[in-house]
Amino acid sequence: MPRPCGQRERPPLPTWQHGCVTAATHSSLFPQVPDSADAVLEGLDPEQRQVAEALHGPVCVLAGAGTGKTRAITHRIAYGVRAGILQPASVLAVTFTNRAAGEMRGRLRQLGAGGVQARTFHSAALRQLQYFWPKAVGGDLPRLVERKIQLVAEAAARCRVRLDRNELRDVTGEIEWAKVTQTVPGDYPAAAAKSGRDAPRDAAEISQIYAMYEQLKRDRAMIDFEDVLLLTVGILQDRHDIADHVRSQYQHFVVDEYQDVSPLQQRLLELWLGDRPNLCVVGDASQTIYSFTGATPDHLLNFRTKHPDATVVKLVRDYRSTPQVVHLANGLLSQARGRAAEHRLELISQREPGPEPVYTEYADEPAEAEGTARRIRDLVAAGVPAGEIAVLYRINAQSEVYEQALADAGVPYQLRGAERFFERQEVRKAINGLRSAARFGNNDPLLDDVVDLPSQTRAVLSGNGWTTQPPAGSGAVRDQWESLAALVRLAEDFARAKPTATLSDLVAELDERAAAQHAPTVQGVTLASLHSAKGLEWDAVFLVGLTEGMMPITYAKTDEQVEEERRLLYVGVTRARHHLGLSWALSRSPGGRASRRPSRFLNGLRPGSSASGSRGGTAAPRTGGTGTVPGGAAKRRRRSSALCRVCGKTLTDAGEVKLMRCEDCPSDMDEALYERLRDWRAGQAQLLGQPAYCVFTDKTLMAIAEAAPGEAGELAVIAGVGARKLERFGADVLALCAGQDLGGVDEED
């Protein structure tokens, strides 16, 4: 086809066979918007392209982990919009988290389809409820409950039921489950029994608390997030004129993570859709891990039965993980049972081969954490960014020992679940500062001697607390610095992508990202639970604590609950792109009885084990008392019991082990020595350009100040010191303990 006069010929883009299709994380931060509808389809593999071109009728996309499902559905929407088949305002894409919705909006904007609504179920329902409430009910919409758990606590108190903190959280979860499954208070005991719920209290008590909670909300004209869905469903069911209004606005629906819909969300979707066929759902039954919240894969598995004429596309080309990781993931599901397992997808890796997964057995949990931290430190030294590494565990309570181990190893980390990036106070303040500089920069002395965009950004943010070196410590000051450093890195990336960009252009980009919740990455190893890792990916993943009782968790008693635990581990495995470590400890504390067994899910997968016990949990044979580590076995270390040096009690808590005393036992710490150690540590951290905890943690300094060691051997046995830090800092620490004045800190050679 001849080119229009004056139009330059574009070089052909590489096809999907030549590596154009990659994980979203590795795509350009600022890609060019495709210049036509056909250009939107470039680079899609055959199955993704089939999804993008299926714009009519019901469509079901069965998408395995790492197969580019978000890429496929966003390109589908963008292709329909750019081809004139879909009107942007008529499309509603729904998913389950603000982060996922924000990512979808960001991708659609980059594809030239920015007018499409991409929201969570709750966000979309709340918007409709706020608009239609005056017409349907009258007056103002009741205000949302800000702290649901406090209201549940008050309801329990009024029912004269005493709940501790954990019970309160669990009862709140039971109420949420009841509401999304459309179970009223009086029916809760029967519904919980039928579903096999492991209720935290007597079901009749929970039913009573649930009823009182609902009464308190009514008395105070309040609603909770579950009510948002329930009330929207009620209005759409009762008011056909309002339902018709909504359906006239939204004509095409896309649902991501369809395996996670609850009965209430499915009912809302049906009311939005009416009798129209324009629905595209995307999901993977093997990633159903939220059944405790009411999620069920039944709607995904029954989709073809309900819609016999549906277009069904399977995405199985895995662009995220190496063949070695994919082989393990497939093997994990090959032992699964149940309906979801019958519909499992066999993934096919599209990446070059990588290292084999590493299986490691440790004597105890502190040894497991220290060993994991050492491996992470080695990866970082080898060039793997800390932000591309994750440690994933079954429950959040497991994080503390890994926080300590990473701090002792001098490795920065971040706990997943913090406040969203663009909602942080320091980020909002920084963006306002950049906006002011963009408007009045000519009168800002900070910008007199800087020309390029990154330098301007650094100059402005220096007034907000950004420095070339991170501050000492691991608290709020360090967190704020990391946020500002992420903005600096984003400005640098933006300038590389658009060399002529100005400060105003950067502010506009930040505003659009804030609206889409498309945040830059804050560097540091991620510590997260397996549940919170869903939808994320890293170059290196360490799955820790893989023992019976933790994976599967001890309260997973039914076959269905155990299979969900297997799927949870599958989700963890498929988060890894290249490096994958799996580990377990034979005892909780040093010197404890080695009574634990590796998770049954690893039977037949880890070297030296058999699949024969995978259903019953029979322990697989161990390999000569060493960690099962391909390419070089790590020797198991046996430790003597850690005893409190004050009362003699056996210590199990990692912090107490470090202090060698119970937290409640009296301390004989030399306060003056402790202050000298802290001052010395601050100087060392500044010279090294590292947080203070990377030199020694507070607990280690306390232990040193309490022990006041007089020689290297006494210092070496203090937890958190170790051979490397003894060699590096031992002379200084012993001198301080002896009361010597170091006269300042010398820089390293």
Side-chain angles (χ1 to χ4, degrees):
M1 180 177 178
R3 300 191 308 274
C5 181
Q7 181 175 321
R8 298 175 61 185
E9 183 176 6
R10 291 189 307 160
L13 292 175
T15 62
W16 67 273
Q17 298 101 321
H18 297 98
C20 183
V21 178
T22 59
T25 304
H26 293 295
S27 63
S28 170
L29 283 173
F30 305 99
Q32 296 295 318
V33 175
D35 58 10
S36 68
D38 288 340
V40 172
L41 301 178
E42 291 174 345
L44 299 181
D45 70 27
E47 293 79 23
Q48 292 172 343
R49 188 178 183 116
Q50 185 181 354
V51 172
E53 293 178 329
L55 295 173
H56 301 288
V59 178
C60 179
V61 183
L62 302 175
T67 58
K69 67 178 180 62
T70 305
R71 177 185 179 88
I73 59 175
T74 52
H75 280 68
R76 176 184 185 270
I77 295 170
Y79 175 66
V81 169
R82 300 293 295 277
I85 299 171
L86 304 178
Q87 295 300 314
S90 73
V91 180
L92 177 59
V94 287
T95 186
F96 288 82
T97 67
N98 288 314
R99 184 197 61 80
E103 180 184 0
M104 195 177 294
R105 287 193 295 270
R107 292 203 195 188
L108 288 168
R109 178 168 64 89
Q110 293 167 355
L111 292 170
V116 173
Q117 292 292 315
R119 297 180 175 275
T120 64
F121 271 100
H122 284 92
S123 173
L126 180 59
R127 195 169 183 231
Q128 293 175 16
L129 196 61
Q130 290 170 330
Y131 183 81
F132 291 113
W133 184 269
K135 179 178 180 180
V137 181
D140 295 329
L141 180 69
R143 60 191 177 94
L144 280 168
V145 174
E146 292 183 3
R147 297 292 302 275
K148 180 187 295 181
I149 201 164
Q150 289 183 348
L151 201 59
V152 174
E154 182 178 346
R158 293 203 177 194
C159 295
R160 299 184 179 180
V161 177
R162 296 187 63 180
L163 301 175
D164 62 30
R165 181 179 300 178
N166 291 329
E167 288 176 326
L168 183 59
R169 182 191 61 205
D170 292 342
V171 168
T172 301
E174 287 301 294
I175 292 174
E176 291 173 348
W177 172 83
K179 298 187 75 166
V180 300
T181 55
Q182 302 178 78
T183 302
V184 297
D187 293 342
Y188 170 79
K194 182 178 180 181
S195 300
R197 303 286 293 181
D198 189 10
R201 295 291 293 250
D202 179 75
E205 285 185 334
I206 295 177
S207 175
Q208 186 182 13
I209 295 170
Y210 178 14
M212 178 58 68
Y213 168 77
E214 292 297 309
Q215 183 63 49
L216 289 174
K217 286 199 289 99
R218 284 193 296 270
D219 292 346
R220 298 172 187 180
M222 302 173 76
I223 59 175
D224 59 26
F225 272 105
E226 289 71 41
D227 291 329
V228 170
L229 299 183
L230 285 163
L231 291 170
T232 305
V233 165
I235 288 175
L236 294 179
Q237 284 181 159
D238 295 342
R239 292 290 300 268
H240 298 293
D241 57 329
I242 293 177
D244 289 341
H245 186 126
V246 172
R247 291 167 192 159
S248 67
Q249 178 178 357
Y250 295 119
Q251 323 234 334
H252 301 269
F253 296 85
V254 177
V255 185
D256 193 13
E257 304 287 4
Y258 193 56
Q259 77 278 353
D260 288 334
V261 295
S262 68
L264 181 56
Q265 289 165 333
Q266 175 63 24
R267 180 58 185 145
L268 178 58
L269 178 62
E270 291 169 352
L271 288 166
W272 281 340
L273 191 63
D275 57 2
R276 297 167 298 175
N278 299 324
L279 172 64
C280 174
V281 300
V282 190
D284 179 9
S286 297
Q287 296 188 67
T288 305
I289 60 173
Y290 297 110
S291 66
F292 61 92
T293 67
T296 171
D298 289 346
H299 304 297
L300 176 66
L301 299 176
N302 294 335
F303 193 85
R304 282 171 287 185
T305 302
K306 188 173 182 179
H307 304 280
D309 57 337
T311 299
V312 179
V313 184
K314 293 184 179 181
L315 302 182
V316 295
R317 303 177 197 264
D318 188 322
Y319 297 97
R320 175 187 299 158
S321 305
T322 62
Q324 287 77 9
V325 173
V326 168
H327 177 72
L328 174 57
N330 287 335
L332 191 60
L333 287 187
S334 70
Q335 302 177 10
R337 303 290 185 271
R339 191 177 179 210
E342 294 171 0
H343 294 80
R344 71 184 183 90
L345 299 168
E346 188 84 11
L347 300 177
I348 304 170
S349 176
Q350 305 296 297
R351 295 194 58 182
E352 293 295 319
E356 291 289 338
V358 177
Y359 301 81
T360 314
E361 182 176 278
Y362 293 94
D364 50 68
E365 286 184 3
E368 183 180 10
E370 291 168 11
T372 302
R374 283 194 301 272
R375 288 197 57 206
I376 290 173
R377 188 182 64 206
D378 292 343
L379 284 175
V380 172
V384 179
E388 288 294 349
I389 303 174
V391 178
L392 306 181
Y393 33 76
R394 178 60 180 83
I395 59 174
N396 286 320
Q398 293 172 272
S399 75
E400 182 182 6
V401 67
Y402 290 93
E403 294 179 56
Q404 283 286 335
L406 289 170
D408 289 343
V411 178
Y413 65 86
Q414 56 179 334
L415 285 169
R416 176 150 178 82
E419 187 178 25
R420 281 186 282 176
F421 184 84
F422 286 105
E423 293 178 358
R424 298 175 189 173
Q425 182 178 0
E426 66 271 18
V427 173
R428 294 200 305 267
K429 184 178 178 181
I431 294 176
N432 286 336
L434 291 169
R435 180 176 290 108
S436 177
R439 291 176 180 172
F440 311 110
N442 293 335
N443 299 319
D444 192 339
L446 285 173
L447 304 181
D448 285 347
D449 299 323
V450 292
V451 178
D452 62 286
L453 177 58
S455 297
Q456 291 176 330
T457 303
R458 288 190 287 266
V460 173
L461 296 189
S462 65
N464 293 75
W466 180 84
T467 56
T468 55
Q469 295 296 327
S474 59
V477 173
R478 175 59 184 253
D479 291 342
Q480 291 174 8
W481 183 91
E482 291 286 3
S483 297
L484 299 178
L487 288 174
V488 170
R489 288 194 296 271
L490 190 142
E492 293 168 349
D493 292 334
F494 189 54
R496 279 193 292 270
K498 298 184 177 181
T500 61
T502 65
L503 204 54
S504 296
D505 295 329
L506 175 63
V507 171
E509 175 66 25
L510 291 173
D511 286 342
E512 290 190 16
R513 283 171 172 256
Q517 286 300 329
H518 186 188
T521 301
V522 175
Q523 288 299 313
V525 173
T526 298
L527 298 178
S529 70
L530 285 163
H531 279 102
S532 66
K534 177 74 168 63
L536 303 175
E537 58 186 80
W538 296 270
D539 283 344
V541 170
F542 291 86
L543 303 174
V544 299
L546 301 181
T547 61
E548 285 291 308
M550 191 59 73
M551 179 55 68
I553 197 76
T554 185
Y555 50 76
K557 296 182 173 62
T558 68
D559 287 346
E560 186 175 343
Q561 290 168 340
V562 169
E563 286 305 318
E564 180 150 336
E565 292 287 298
R566 189 194 307 274
R567 294 194 296 269
L568 186 58
L569 181 57
Y570 171 80
V571 166
V573 168
T574 55
R575 300 309 95 194
R577 299 192 195 103
H578 193 71
H579 302 278
L580 178 61
L582 305 96
S583 62
W584 58 93
L586 298 179
S587 69
R588 178 185 174 189
S589 55
R593 188 164 62 92
S595 59
R596 290 177 170 179
R597 295 173 295 172
S599 169
R600 72 189 74 171
F601 300 146
L602 302 181
N603 292 348
L605 300 175
R606 60 187 179 90
S609 67
S610 166
S612 59
S614 63
R615 291 294 297 159
T618 303
R622 295 189 187 127
T623 54
T626 62
T628 315
V629 186
K635 300 241 178 165
R636 274 175 51 199
R637 291 190 295 147
R638 299 289 293 168
R639 297 183 177 186
S640 59
S641 298
L643 303 178
C644 174
R645 56 189 169 79
V646 179
C647 69
K649 175 184 172 184
T650 300
L651 303 175
T652 57
D653 178 78
E656 294 180 344
V657 170
K658 191 173 287 271
L659 291 174
M660 292 304 293
R661 65 172 173 81
C662 301
E663 197 77 43
D664 297 332
C665 283
S667 169
D668 53 358
M669 183 176 69
D670 183 333
E671 296 285 351
L673 173 57
Y674 180 65
E675 290 304 318
R676 291 199 303 274
L677 287 168
R678 282 176 59 88
D679 291 342
W680 165 84
R681 181 183 67 172
Q684 285 288 342
Q686 184 175 5
L687 287 175
L688 297 173
Q690 294 180 340
Y693 67 73
C694 292
V695 180
F696 286 118
T697 64
D698 287 346
K699 281 281 175 66
T700 300
L701 288 188
M702 290 174 64
I704 294 172
E706 289 184 353
E711 58 183 32
E714 296 174 355
L715 177 60
V717 299
I718 295 176
V721 177
R724 185 177 66 88
K725 292 190 177 182
L726 179 65
E727 180 181 358
R728 192 173 195 180
F729 305 124
D732 280 1
V733 172
L734 290 172
L736 289 168
C737 290
Q740 299 177 19
D741 184 0
L742 296 182
V745 182
D746 295 330
E747 295 200 30
E748 290 187 317
D749 294 333

